[in-house]
Amino acid sequence: MTDHDKVKKTAMKYGKDRPKAKNPVLIEDLTLRDGHQSLFATRGRTEDMIPVAEMMDEVGFWAMEVWGGATFDTMHRFLNEDPWERIRTLKRYIKKTPFSMLLRGQNLVGYRNYADDVAKVFVERAAANGMDIFRTFDALNDYRNFETVVPAIKSCGKHFQGCICYSLTEPRMGGDVYKLEYYVKKAKELETMGADSICVKDMAGLIAPYDAYDLVKALKEAVKIPIHLHSHFTSGMASMTQLKAIEAGVDILDTCMTPYAYRTSHPAVEPLVMTLLGTSRDTGFDIRQLAAINEIFEKDILPKYKHLLDDSKVSIIDINVLLHQTPGGMLSNLVNQLREMNALDKINNVYAELPKVRKDLGQIPLVTPTSQIVGIQTVNNVLFDDDKERYKMITDQVKDLCYGLYGKTAVPIDSELQKKALKSYSRGEKPITCRPAEVIEPELEKAKEDIKDLTTDIDDVLIYALYPVTGKRFLRWKYGKEEPPPEVKPRTLEQVTAEQGIIAKAKAGNLVEKIKKETVSTKGDKLRTFKVYINGGYFEVGIEEIGGTALGEGYVQQVFSTSFVTEPTAQKATKPDLALSDAVAGVTLNAPMPGMIISYSVNVGDEVKKGDTIVILEAMKMENALPATADGVIKSINFKSGDSVPKDAVLCVIG
């Protein structure tokens, strides 16, 4: 019997009863973190992870990524869930498989570098709550930003996985910056720091199969610790890349369960299991067990989230990512931002401007938060620059980057841009060269003091320390000080089914006729009227419960908001008293884009000079300092911290 015949015979066994491979590829599952983050904006709820948790624990994954990245932000901001509770809850169901999280170095799970005291305690609390493996990266590959979190990880006895963010300046690996020598040098730095494993983090799916082979082979020769490959499927190369990495000796690969795989997510685990069946790298997984888990995902869980999937494209890959290098999640944010500003027609201008901005900012890798920094600055340039001036509206994060608060860039930042960004910068006009956190004052004690009347729980304090505006709002929801809005409440499968039925009737032209007949015969004084938009069509629907009691607004919003809505949720805002605004004479400061109010720097009655910062507006998680449009006195302030505002909203009046 030939070796090929032996492989075929062994491959006939789909389950775990086949012989164990000599050197099995280890698999980390990303379904419960990066899978739903990539495909439906990190909106996966803990309650929808529990039905599969115990089954996934039996598969034999090396680890399961369940936390970190954008989950911390999204859970408290949009889902009304305590991020810390997710770890504790899942740990009750997943008892065998180690938990992995994505830690953004000194950024933790936020979008800036935090003080050392916050960073240290955050790691300690993550470990205490149940985290086992800390996949740690820095957006600039500046490992000085690991100097606080790594000792904390080690002191907790946990696994420190150091990441190298994969980036390119050429179509393939090479050029003056991101070449083989660059990655080997970074790997040696991580091993010296005490990394237990090294992850090549290819966030945009840029690594080509043969480049992956060369890179993994070189890393295996340069360091002794395991090599882990993380590559998104965005460009369509990741499955091929994984096979070449296996040939080169990669130790661990990242995959997702099939319903959460592909597109901007990761390769699916099931085809890989079948590909390696009977070989020396056989995973040992039971394909029937995986199929049973997928059935639950498909029937009971994913229907709740289908409305969040981007179904505007037929193709499951985006080859343009090889040109603009923007990770999938960031790309969808850019598109949404332009759509809300009625400027989607400028998307090609954004693609053309993006590599220019990236080059000006030091050829930084495009991964959170640098992808957001480059992305929103690119949008600002496209929308607000003219022939006379570039970089007319510079975000606070670009200023921080130019100052050195994120670390050292791969190549120097454009000197003219740096000079312009740091003009009148609050920390000084000369950039720093030290470790960024050395110039950040301790933050933890102040955070404790700020919310002592609300909570003293250290996990709560960290939520506030990382996200002062949205974090405090969540804590007020948590402790019953405010009622959570309907849009943060979960959707049930029954609501989804009912909604799909209404949509089907509307598309068939039956919904309007039926409601018209019912409203003629039963119309009462509690009838509620809603505008419905479907595929460019327009309907006006009256809704009233039989018997005369109007449906509650919250229920109607839950039913209608996802597929056809009365008002786009992104435009929803606390509206000022229009009569009062009209009565106040003066120059208005309008929102240049949709966003959330972080804070006002002034109060009514304050004198201001043209150019003084009036308000900080967050857009796409980046902050924009909006200046006074004239000299004068603040006559009215129309919003408060935490309010969402549409484009052109009057933020204040200067008289």
Side-chain angles (χ1 to χ4, degrees):
M1 183 181 291
T2 66
D3 290 342
H4 180 66
D5 290 333
K6 291 178 181 178
V7 169
K8 284 184 65 179
K9 184 176 180 181
T10 303
M12 295 300 291
K13 299 180 179 181
Y14 294 106
K16 290 185 177 180
D17 53 346
R18 59 189 185 275
K20 183 177 175 61
K22 294 180 180 179
N23 182 26
V25 174
L26 302 177
I27 303 294
E28 177 167 337
D29 176 79
L30 309 183
T31 304
L32 303 186
R33 203 285 297 178
D34 207 356
H36 68 99
Q37 178 171 326
S38 297
L39 294 185
F40 43 91
T42 332
R43 295 305 197 270
R45 291 180 179 272
T46 306
E47 66 181 40
D48 292 322
M49 300 175 183
I50 292 173
V52 294
E54 290 178 320
M55 295 174 69
M56 292 183 73
D57 193 26
E58 297 294 331
V59 171
F61 294 119
W62 177 75
M64 289 173 62
E65 187 182 59
V66 299
W67 207 65
T71 58
F72 198 97
D73 181 10
T74 303
M75 288 179 70
H76 87 271
R77 188 190 295 242
F78 299 118
L79 305 182
N80 190 26
E81 285 195 38
D82 188 328
W84 301 102
E85 186 59 38
R86 175 169 294 178
I87 310 176
R88 297 190 291 264
T89 299
L90 291 179
K91 207 71 172 180
R92 293 198 291 268
Y93 295 89
I94 302 171
K95 300 177 180 179
K96 301 177 183 178
T97 311
F99 279 8
S100 177
M101 74 163 291
L102 184 64
L103 184 75
R104 299 167 181 161
Q106 197 84 18
N107 288 179
L108 303 178
V109 287
Y111 306 102
R112 66 171 177 88
N113 277 339
Y114 296 93
D116 284 336
D117 59 344
V118 172
K120 180 176 181 293
V121 174
F122 179 88
V123 170
E124 292 171 350
R125 292 307 304 157
N129 275 288
M131 200 50 57
D132 303 296
I133 298 168
F134 289 77
R135 172 176 289 176
T136 310
F137 79 93
D138 178 72
L140 301 181
N141 289 327
D142 184 348
Y143 298 143
R144 295 177 302 170
N145 289 322
F146 287 4
E147 291 180 13
T148 296
V149 296
V150 168
I153 295 168
K154 289 292 192 176
S155 68
C156 293
K158 302 301 182 179
H159 183 112
F160 161 47
Q161 182 174 88
C163 289
I164 309 171
C165 292
Y166 187 82
S167 191
L168 298 172
T169 55
E170 308 287 332
R172 293 277 298 275
M173 184 171 63
D176 296 332
V177 183
Y178 299 108
K179 49 190 176 182
L180 195 60
E181 293 78 8
Y182 172 90
Y183 296 110
V184 170
K185 178 176 179 290
K186 292 296 179 182
K188 290 180 177 179
E189 289 179 27
L190 290 171
E191 187 174 48
T192 300
M193 291 188 75
D196 298 294
S197 60
I198 291 174
C199 177
V200 177
K201 180 175 170 57
D202 175 25
M203 47 279 176
L206 302 178
I207 189 167
Y210 287 99
D211 287 343
Y213 179 89
D214 292 341
L215 178 55
V216 171
K217 194 170 181 60
L219 295 180
K220 292 291 291 180
E221 292 171 356
V223 298
K224 297 179 180 179
I225 53 181
I227 303 300
H228 192 148
L229 178 62
H230 169 100
S231 184
H232 285 254
F233 192 79
T234 315
S235 70
M237 296 192 294
S239 295
M240 296 182 288
T241 293
Q242 286 188 340
L243 283 180
K244 293 303 295 183
I246 289 170
E247 289 181 15
V250 76
D251 299 285
I252 315 168
L253 292 174
D254 282 347
T255 62
C256 286
M257 301 295 291
T258 294
Y260 286 68
Y262 304 124
R263 298 189 182 273
T264 55
S265 182
H266 295 264
V269 64
E270 298 84 1
L272 184 64
V273 169
M274 295 304 295
T275 299
L276 300 177
L277 205 67
T279 71
S280 62
R281 305 303 309 272
D282 192 337
T283 63
F285 292 176
D286 186 339
I287 193 71
R288 297 166 299 192
Q289 186 178 21
L290 296 171
I293 297 169
N294 283 339
E295 186 171 359
I296 297 174
F297 274 127
E298 285 283 3
K299 291 183 178 179
D300 301 332
I301 298 172
L302 269 182
K304 299 181 185 180
Y305 300 101
K306 279 187 178 180
H307 65 285
L308 295 169
L309 295 173
D310 180 7
D311 58 359
S312 62
K313 291 184 177 180
V314 175
S315 175
I316 65 168
I317 69 171
D318 180 9
I319 202 65
N320 288 321
V321 74
L322 300 175
L323 305 177
H324 53 66
Q325 296 195 30
T326 308
M330 185 58 206
L331 188 61
S332 62
N333 282 340
L334 289 175
V335 170
N336 288 336
Q337 186 75 0
L338 290 171
R339 182 181 291 116
E340 290 178 1
M341 299 177 71
N342 297 318
L344 193 54
D345 59 312
K346 297 187 182 295
I347 186 65
N348 289 329
N349 302 72
V350 170
Y351 290 154
E353 177 70 7
L354 198 144
K356 299 175 186 176
V357 173
R358 184 189 178 213
K359 184 177 180 181
D360 288 344
L361 293 177
Q363 293 290 18
I364 53 181
L366 295 180
V367 61
T368 303
T370 51
S371 55
Q372 282 90 342
I373 292 173
V374 172
I376 189 61
Q377 187 59 57
T378 299
V379 170
N380 285 0
N381 286 6
V382 168
L383 296 181
F384 306 121
D385 288 359
D386 52 38
D387 294 339
K388 297 179 181 179
E389 183 181 3
R390 274 173 57 76
Y391 293 99
K392 291 182 72 172
M393 182 183 290
I394 300 177
T395 69
D396 284 3
Q397 280 70 28
V398 167
K399 296 174 184 178
D400 291 344
L401 179 72
C402 290
Y403 184 68
L405 274 187
Y406 285 92
K408 185 179 180 181
T409 56
V411 298
I413 294 173
D414 178 81
S415 59
E416 290 301 313
L417 170 57
Q418 190 170 42
K419 183 178 179 180
K420 182 174 185 177
L422 295 182
K423 184 178 180 181
S424 301
Y425 180 70
S426 59
R427 291 179 177 269
E429 298 189 359
K430 183 179 180 181
I432 60 172
T433 57
C434 62
R435 182 175 71 93
E438 291 179 18
V439 302
I440 302 175
E441 295 294 324
E443 299 173 304
L444 194 59
E445 292 306 315
K446 183 181 183 301
K448 291 179 181 178
E449 181 67 22
D450 286 348
I451 61 169
K452 65 181 181 181
D453 294 335
L454 189 59
T455 175
T456 57
D457 183 276
I458 187 60
D459 291 346
D460 289 339
V461 171
L462 287 167
I463 292 174
Y464 172 77
L466 268 58
Y467 291 96
V469 177
T470 57
K472 189 171 186 178
R473 182 182 63 184
F474 164 74
L475 293 173
R476 292 186 65 80
W477 296 343
K478 178 178 177 179
Y479 290 106
K481 303 297 184 182
E482 290 181 11
E483 179 67 21
E487 57 263 29
V488 303
K489 296 178 180 179
R491 289 150 47 88
T492 67
L493 200 57
E494 289 75 16
Q495 286 173 327
V496 172
T497 302
E499 176 187 303
Q500 290 172 343
I502 294 173
I503 294 171
K505 290 179 181 178
K507 287 183 175 180
N510 298 326
L511 180 64
V512 175
E513 181 181 357
K514 181 178 179 181
I515 291 182
K516 280 183 178 178
K517 289 179 180 178
E518 291 184 354
T519 54
V520 168
S521 59
T522 64
K523 183 174 179 180
D525 58 0
K526 294 183 179 180
L527 183 74
R528 299 182 64 83
T529 303
F530 291 85
K531 297 175 183 177
V532 181
Y533 301 89
I534 302 177
N535 297 333
Y538 168 83
F539 301 87
E540 189 169 287
V541 182
I543 299 179
E544 184 175 25
E545 184 181 355
I546 296 175
T549 302
L551 288 172
E553 183 177 359
Y555 174 78
V556 176
Q557 285 178 345
Q558 288 183 33
V559 171
F560 285 96
S561 64
T562 54
S563 295
F564 45 97
V565 297
T566 59
E567 292 287 341
T569 55
Q571 301 291 326
K572 194 177 294 180
T574 304
K575 296 180 180 179
D577 187 324
L578 295 181
L580 176 62
S581 297
D582 291 342
V584 177
V587 178
T588 62
L589 173 61
N590 298 71
M593 62 190 75
M596 182 182 72
I597 300 294
I598 297 296
S599 63
Y600 281 88
S601 305
V602 296
N603 297 305
V604 173
D606 288 352
E607 288 192 20
V608 296
K609 296 288 186 183
K610 183 178 181 180
D612 289 350
T613 296
I614 300 297
V615 61
I616 304 297
L617 179 71
E618 180 195 85
M620 289 171 54
K621 301 173 184 175
M622 296 292 107
E623 296 178 4
N624 297 269
L626 304 184
T629 48
D631 296 348
V633 176
I634 301 296
K635 295 295 186 181
S636 73
I637 291 177
N638 296 332
F639 297 93
K640 64 181 186 302
S641 177
D643 282 347
S644 295
V645 298
K647 181 178 183 292
D648 295 326
V650 177
L651 305 181
C652 74
V653 177
I654 304 171

